[in-house]
Amino acid sequence: MHSSSTILQSPFAEDVRRGLLAAQKAIPSKYFYDDAGSRLFQDIMQMPEYYLTRSEMEILSLHPAAIAAALRFSGPFTIVELGAGDGLKTKELLKYLVGQSAQVKYLPIDISGEAMQQLQHKLATSLPDLDVQPEVGDYFEVLERLDLGQQPSLFLFLGGNIGNYEPEAALALLRLIHRYMQPGDQLLTGFDLRKNPRTIQLAYDDPHGITRAFNLNLLWRINRELGGTFEPDKFDFYCFYNPYNGEVRSALVSLTEQQVRVKALDLTVHFRQNELIKTELSRKYTLEEVDALAAASGFHVEQHFFDCKHYFTDSLWVK
Ligand code: AVI
């Protein structure tokens, strides 16, 4: 059982307090991914409009030979994946490497213990000869306690997750990854690229209402975990893509003037009609922006790999 002081100390509780008290209300998008939200994200990835997952799957399943050829390692090496999730896309690359008898160890890291168990189970069946050592936790806590030794590493940060960070945070994150790498280690990062604005708009403002449910789950989560009294029907989901700066911005909109209580925070929040709660940034990049981000975080760009429509790139960098 939690005492109210432990609940108050949870990062979720603290971030919700800060976010609901701010002049511009906001809830960080990293809180989308509780069990219910993770299931909704799986549904998003299945939608025909959400091209990101299929584009990256295409890159990793059609070009594993080119990616493998661009790796600098002649002997044994480790693949460290930050936020491995279901590992479905990575499996394509791993399959190729194992088929080539590469001496590779796979170290997926994810916050979800359930996802890591399932991934280990799946790989034990499909790639029984692969050495898989899953780690559960925050990327950097895990990297801090692990000793990667002298063995060179390929780091993976796939899925376009970098686009969910505000520009300064994205740069700080890449610099931190850089700090954990040795000279000669490589990083493969996924970036969703700019494209026809309607294609991007539709991937987020989907006609099935799944992205809407994904955003509203934040309010349900506050109700479940923090004793909130949100009535999600009294909020709408709104998102827009700005092709001038590459930003998809998502928000929840209060449909009426209303008060909401969050018991665990001992907080009552007032909403004006049409007031917004900022939820997510999903940034779309130009290749020049990708190159600039690599240089600013201390990397040298080796190669960009693309799907056939050039919707997405997995970009290979070296420290
Ligand atoms: C996880 N991330 C890359 C997704 C994205 O496209 O920004 C999360 C998402 N948000 C709405 N749909 C999917």
Side-chain angles (χ1 to χ4, degrees):
M1 198 169 127
H2 294 288
S3 71
S4 63
S5 63
T6 24
I7 289 175
L8 279 181
Q9 281 160 4
S10 87
F12 179 50
E14 286 310 315
D15 285 345
V16 168
R17 174 195 292 286
R18 197 174 310 116
L20 293 181
L21 286 174
Q24 169 57 73
K25 294 184 174 68
I27 305 172
S29 61
K30 65 178 174 186
Y31 296 115
F32 280 149
Y33 305 93
D34 65 348
D35 287 343
S38 301
R39 281 193 294 271
L40 286 164
F41 185 55
Q42 293 291 328
D43 293 343
I44 287 177
M45 291 192 290
Q46 301 291 330
M47 298 189 311
E49 296 80 6
Y50 193 74
Y51 57 83
L52 286 82
T53 311
R54 273 185 310 281
S55 299
E56 193 175 43
M57 186 74 179
E58 186 187 316
I59 297 172
L60 293 170
S61 52
L62 292 185
H63 308 303
I67 297 173
L71 299 182
R72 297 178 164 227
F73 321 122
S74 45
F77 67 99
T78 306
I79 295 186
V80 181
E81 179 160 18
L82 308 177
D86 64 11
L88 209 65
K89 290 169 289 190
T90 315
K91 205 174 95 189
E92 296 299 318
L93 181 62
L94 294 171
K95 216 163 49 184
Y96 179 83
L97 291 168
V98 170
Q100 297 297 304
S101 310
Q103 294 169 268
V104 59
K105 178 167 86 187
Y106 178 45
L107 207 155
I109 305 176
D110 203 280
I111 197 80
S112 160
E114 195 184 302
M116 288 303 85
Q117 258 183 3
Q118 286 173 358
L119 179 59
Q120 188 166 33
H121 183 73
K122 267 190 287 183
L123 290 177
T125 322
S126 54
L127 294 171
D129 296 334
L130 180 67
D131 180 1
V132 184
Q133 298 180 10
E135 290 286 338
V136 177
D138 171 82
Y139 313 147
F140 296 105
E141 273 165 29
V142 173
L143 289 175
E144 196 58 54
R145 78 176 133 83
L146 276 185
D147 183 11
L148 290 175
Q150 291 306 303
Q151 193 154 303
S153 299
L154 167 67
F155 284 69
L156 301 179
F157 188 48
L158 303 177
N161 295 342
I162 192 76
N164 296 133
Y165 292 80
E166 293 291 340
E168 324 75 63
L171 184 59
L173 178 76
L174 290 168
R175 284 184 174 156
L176 197 56
I177 296 175
H178 185 271
R179 258 196 23 218
Y180 282 97
M181 294 170 66
Q182 304 179 66
D185 281 357
Q186 288 166 294
L187 169 67
L188 189 68
T189 316
F191 292 90
D192 193 19
L193 298 173
R194 304 232 189 149
K195 58 188 65 63
N196 187 302
R198 287 192 197 281
T199 306
I200 295 176
Q201 179 74 33
L202 206 57
Y204 291 86
D205 201 8
D206 73 85
H208 320 285
I210 302 175
T211 312
R212 178 174 191 278
F214 183 58
N215 277 256
L216 285 170
N217 179 55
L218 283 172
L219 305 184
W220 288 110
R221 182 171 180 182
I222 295 174
N223 289 353
R224 283 191 295 267
E225 294 182 25
L226 303 176
T229 62
F230 277 103
E231 292 177 67
D233 284 355
K234 292 191 177 167
F235 288 83
D236 195 8
F237 163 65
Y238 181 74
C239 73
F240 65 99
Y241 174 57
N242 178 348
Y244 293 104
N245 64 11
E247 291 180 356
V248 177
R249 290 272 174 191
S250 300
L252 292 166
V253 187
S254 175
L255 292 174
T256 56
E257 177 164 4
Q258 53 183 317
Q259 308 255 41
V260 175
R261 227 7 241 148
V262 185
K263 287 192 202 94
L265 302 176
D266 193 16
L267 186 70
T268 303
V269 190
H270 179 261
F271 290 90
R272 298 184 308 275
Q273 185 172 28
N274 297 324
E275 185 172 356
L276 302 178
I277 310 174
K278 270 172 78 170
T279 55
E280 189 179 43
L281 164 65
S282 297
R283 176 177 293 279
K284 310 302 161 195
Y285 292 83
T286 63
L287 282 180
E288 292 71 27
E289 286 169 340
V290 173
D291 291 344
L293 199 51
S297 46
F299 291 97
H300 169 74
V301 177
E302 298 206 297
Q303 207 171 329
H304 299 303
F305 298 95
F306 299 98
D307 57 303
C308 65
K309 290 182 175 157
H310 282 223
Y311 274 6
F312 198 93
T313 185
D314 277 333
S315 183
L316 185 68
W317 302 352
V318 64
K319 172 166 174 172

Short mmCIF file of all heavy atoms in Angstrom, two decimals, residues 58-87:
data_model
loop_
_atom_site.label_atom_id
_atom_site.label_comp_id
_atom_site.label_asym_id
_atom_site.label_seq_id
_atom_site.Cartn_x
_atom_site.Cartn_y
_atom_site.Cartn_z
N GLU A 58 10.37 -1.42 -43.43
CA GLU A 58 10.86 -1.63 -44.80
C GLU A 58 12.39 -1.42 -44.85
O GLU A 58 13.11 -2.20 -45.45
CB GLU A 58 10.14 -0.66 -45.73
CG GLU A 58 10.46 -0.88 -47.19
CD GLU A 58 9.86 0.23 -48.05
OE1 GLU A 58 8.68 0.61 -47.86
OE2 GLU A 58 10.60 0.72 -48.93
N ILE A 59 12.85 -0.36 -44.19
CA ILE A 59 14.30 -0.09 -44.20
C ILE A 59 15.07 -1.28 -43.62
O ILE A 59 16.03 -1.76 -44.21
CB ILE A 59 14.62 1.19 -43.38
CG1 ILE A 59 13.95 2.41 -44.02
CG2 ILE A 59 16.13 1.39 -43.26
CD1 ILE A 59 14.06 3.68 -43.19
N LEU A 60 14.59 -1.75 -42.47
CA LEU A 60 15.37 -2.80 -41.79
C LEU A 60 15.20 -4.17 -42.43
O LEU A 60 16.08 -5.02 -42.33
CB LEU A 60 14.99 -2.85 -40.30
CG LEU A 60 15.40 -1.59 -39.54
CD1 LEU A 60 14.78 -1.57 -38.15
CD2 LEU A 60 16.91 -1.47 -39.44
N SER A 61 14.06 -4.38 -43.11
CA SER A 61 13.90 -5.70 -43.73
C SER A 61 14.46 -5.74 -45.15
O SER A 61 14.90 -6.79 -45.61
CB SER A 61 12.45 -6.18 -43.69
OG SER A 61 11.61 -5.21 -44.22
N LEU A 62 14.49 -4.58 -45.85
CA LEU A 62 15.01 -4.59 -47.22
C LEU A 62 16.51 -4.29 -47.30
O LEU A 62 17.17 -4.69 -48.24
CB LEU A 62 14.27 -3.59 -48.11
CG LEU A 62 12.81 -3.90 -48.43
CD1 LEU A 62 12.24 -2.90 -49.42
CD2 LEU A 62 12.66 -5.33 -48.98
N HIS A 63 17.02 -3.56 -46.30
CA HIS A 63 18.43 -3.16 -46.41
C HIS A 63 19.35 -3.67 -45.30
O HIS A 63 20.33 -2.99 -44.97
CB HIS A 63 18.53 -1.62 -46.45
CG HIS A 63 17.65 -0.99 -47.47
ND1 HIS A 63 17.73 -1.32 -48.80
CD2 HIS A 63 16.65 -0.09 -47.36
CE1 HIS A 63 16.80 -0.63 -49.47
NE2 HIS A 63 16.13 0.12 -48.62
N PRO A 64 19.07 -4.84 -44.73
CA PRO A 64 19.97 -5.28 -43.64
C PRO A 64 21.40 -5.50 -44.14
O PRO A 64 22.36 -5.24 -43.39
CB PRO A 64 19.33 -6.59 -43.16
CG PRO A 64 18.57 -7.10 -44.30
CD PRO A 64 18.06 -5.87 -45.01
N ALA A 65 21.54 -5.91 -45.40
CA ALA A 65 22.89 -6.18 -45.91
C ALA A 65 23.68 -4.88 -45.99
O ALA A 65 24.86 -4.81 -45.61
CB ALA A 65 22.81 -6.86 -47.27
N ALA A 66 23.01 -3.82 -46.49
CA ALA A 66 23.71 -2.52 -46.61
C ALA A 66 24.04 -1.97 -45.23
O ALA A 66 25.12 -1.40 -45.02
CB ALA A 66 22.81 -1.54 -47.38
N ILE A 67 23.12 -2.15 -44.28
CA ILE A 67 23.39 -1.65 -42.92
C ILE A 67 24.56 -2.44 -42.32
O ILE A 67 25.50 -1.86 -41.76
CB ILE A 67 22.12 -1.75 -42.03
CG1 ILE A 67 21.02 -0.86 -42.60
CG2 ILE A 67 22.44 -1.36 -40.59
CD1 ILE A 67 19.66 -1.00 -41.91
N ALA A 68 24.50 -3.76 -42.48
CA ALA A 68 25.59 -4.60 -41.92
C ALA A 68 26.93 -4.23 -42.55
O ALA A 68 27.95 -4.18 -41.86
CB ALA A 68 25.27 -6.07 -42.15
N ALA A 69 26.90 -3.94 -43.86
CA ALA A 69 28.16 -3.60 -44.55
C ALA A 69 28.74 -2.28 -44.04
O ALA A 69 29.95 -2.05 -44.12
CB ALA A 69 27.92 -3.53 -46.06
N ALA A 70 27.88 -1.43 -43.53
CA ALA A 70 28.35 -0.11 -43.05
C ALA A 70 28.84 -0.17 -41.60
O ALA A 70 29.36 0.82 -41.08
CB ALA A 70 27.22 0.91 -43.18
N LEU A 71 28.69 -1.33 -40.96
CA LEU A 71 29.17 -1.45 -39.58
C LEU A 71 30.69 -1.60 -39.59
O LEU A 71 31.25 -2.20 -40.49
CB LEU A 71 28.49 -2.63 -38.87
CG LEU A 71 26.96 -2.52 -38.75
CD1 LEU A 71 26.38 -3.70 -38.00
CD2 LEU A 71 26.55 -1.20 -38.08
N ARG A 72 31.33 -1.06 -38.56
CA ARG A 72 32.79 -1.02 -38.55
C ARG A 72 33.43 -2.17 -37.80
O ARG A 72 34.64 -2.17 -37.59
CB ARG A 72 33.24 0.27 -37.86
CG ARG A 72 32.80 1.50 -38.58
CD ARG A 72 33.22 2.73 -37.83
NE ARG A 72 33.14 3.88 -38.71
CZ ARG A 72 34.10 4.78 -38.83
NH1 ARG A 72 35.20 4.68 -38.13
NH2 ARG A 72 33.95 5.81 -39.65
N PHE A 73 32.61 -3.12 -37.34
CA PHE A 73 33.15 -4.12 -36.42
C PHE A 73 33.56 -5.38 -37.17
O PHE A 73 32.76 -5.98 -37.88
CB PHE A 73 32.10 -4.47 -35.36
CG PHE A 73 31.29 -3.28 -34.89
CD1 PHE A 73 29.91 -3.25 -35.00
CD2 PHE A 73 31.94 -2.16 -34.37
CE1 PHE A 73 29.17 -2.15 -34.59
CE2 PHE A 73 31.22 -1.05 -33.94
CZ PHE A 73 29.82 -1.04 -34.06
N SER A 74 34.81 -5.82 -36.97
CA SER A 74 35.24 -7.05 -37.63
C SER A 74 35.07 -8.25 -36.69
O SER A 74 34.80 -9.36 -37.13
CB SER A 74 36.68 -6.94 -38.11
OG SER A 74 37.45 -6.37 -37.08
N GLY A 75 35.17 -8.01 -35.37
CA GLY A 75 35.03 -9.11 -34.41
C GLY A 75 33.70 -9.05 -33.69
O GLY A 75 32.72 -8.53 -34.23
N PRO A 76 33.65 -9.58 -32.48
CA PRO A 76 32.41 -9.57 -31.72
C PRO A 76 31.95 -8.15 -31.38
O PRO A 76 32.78 -7.29 -31.13
CB PRO A 76 32.77 -10.32 -30.42
CG PRO A 76 34.14 -10.84 -30.59
CD PRO A 76 34.77 -10.22 -31.77
N PHE A 77 30.65 -7.94 -31.38
CA PHE A 77 30.13 -6.62 -30.99
C PHE A 77 28.76 -6.78 -30.33
O PHE A 77 28.13 -7.84 -30.42
CB PHE A 77 30.08 -5.65 -32.17
CG PHE A 77 29.10 -6.00 -33.26
CD1 PHE A 77 27.85 -5.38 -33.33
CD2 PHE A 77 29.42 -6.94 -34.22
CE1 PHE A 77 26.95 -5.71 -34.34
CE2 PHE A 77 28.53 -7.28 -35.23
CZ PHE A 77 27.29 -6.66 -35.29
N THR A 78 28.33 -5.69 -29.67
CA THR A 78 27.05 -5.71 -28.95
C THR A 78 26.09 -4.74 -29.64
O THR A 78 26.50 -3.65 -30.04
CB THR A 78 27.27 -5.23 -27.49
OG1 THR A 78 28.29 -6.03 -26.91
CG2 THR A 78 26.00 -5.36 -26.66
N ILE A 79 24.83 -5.14 -29.75
CA ILE A 79 23.80 -4.20 -30.19
C ILE A 79 23.01 -3.78 -28.96
O ILE A 79 22.38 -4.62 -28.31
CB ILE A 79 22.86 -4.82 -31.24
CG1 ILE A 79 23.66 -5.13 -32.52
CG2 ILE A 79 21.70 -3.88 -31.55
CD1 ILE A 79 22.81 -5.63 -33.68
N VAL A 80 23.08 -2.50 -28.61
CA VAL A 80 22.37 -1.97 -27.46
C VAL A 80 21.17 -1.20 -27.99
O VAL A 80 21.34 -0.22 -28.72
CB VAL A 80 23.27 -0.98 -26.66
CG1 VAL A 80 22.53 -0.45 -25.45
CG2 VAL A 80 24.57 -1.65 -26.26
N GLU A 81 19.96 -1.66 -27.67
CA GLU A 81 18.79 -0.95 -28.20
C GLU A 81 18.07 -0.19 -27.09
O GLU A 81 17.61 -0.76 -26.10
CB GLU A 81 17.82 -1.93 -28.88
CG GLU A 81 16.59 -1.17 -29.40
CD GLU A 81 15.80 -1.86 -30.47
OE1 GLU A 81 15.96 -3.09 -30.63
OE2 GLU A 81 15.03 -1.18 -31.16
N LEU A 82 17.95 1.13 -27.27
CA LEU A 82 17.28 1.98 -26.29
C LEU A 82 15.79 2.04 -26.64
O LEU A 82 15.42 2.49 -27.73
CB LEU A 82 17.88 3.39 -26.32
CG LEU A 82 19.41 3.44 -26.18
CD1 LEU A 82 19.91 4.88 -26.30
CD2 LEU A 82 19.86 2.84 -24.86
N GLY A 83 14.93 1.53 -25.75
CA GLY A 83 13.50 1.51 -26.01
C GLY A 83 13.15 0.45 -27.04
O GLY A 83 12.56 0.75 -28.08
N ALA A 84 13.49 -0.81 -26.74
CA ALA A 84 13.35 -1.88 -27.75
C ALA A 84 11.89 -2.25 -28.03
O ALA A 84 11.58 -2.71 -29.12
CB ALA A 84 14.11 -3.11 -27.28
N GLY A 85 11.00 -2.08 -27.06
CA GLY A 85 9.59 -2.42 -27.27
C GLY A 85 9.42 -3.86 -27.70
O GLY A 85 10.05 -4.76 -27.13
N ASP A 86 8.62 -4.08 -28.78
CA ASP A 86 8.40 -5.46 -29.21
C ASP A 86 9.56 -6.00 -30.07
O ASP A 86 9.59 -7.18 -30.41
CB ASP A 86 7.06 -5.60 -29.95
CG ASP A 86 7.01 -4.80 -31.25
OD1 ASP A 86 8.06 -4.31 -31.70
OD2 ASP A 86 5.91 -4.67 -31.81
N GLY A 87 10.51 -5.13 -30.42
CA GLY A 87 11.71 -5.57 -31.13
C GLY A 87 11.47 -6.12 -32.52
O GLY A 87 12.38 -6.67 -33.15
#
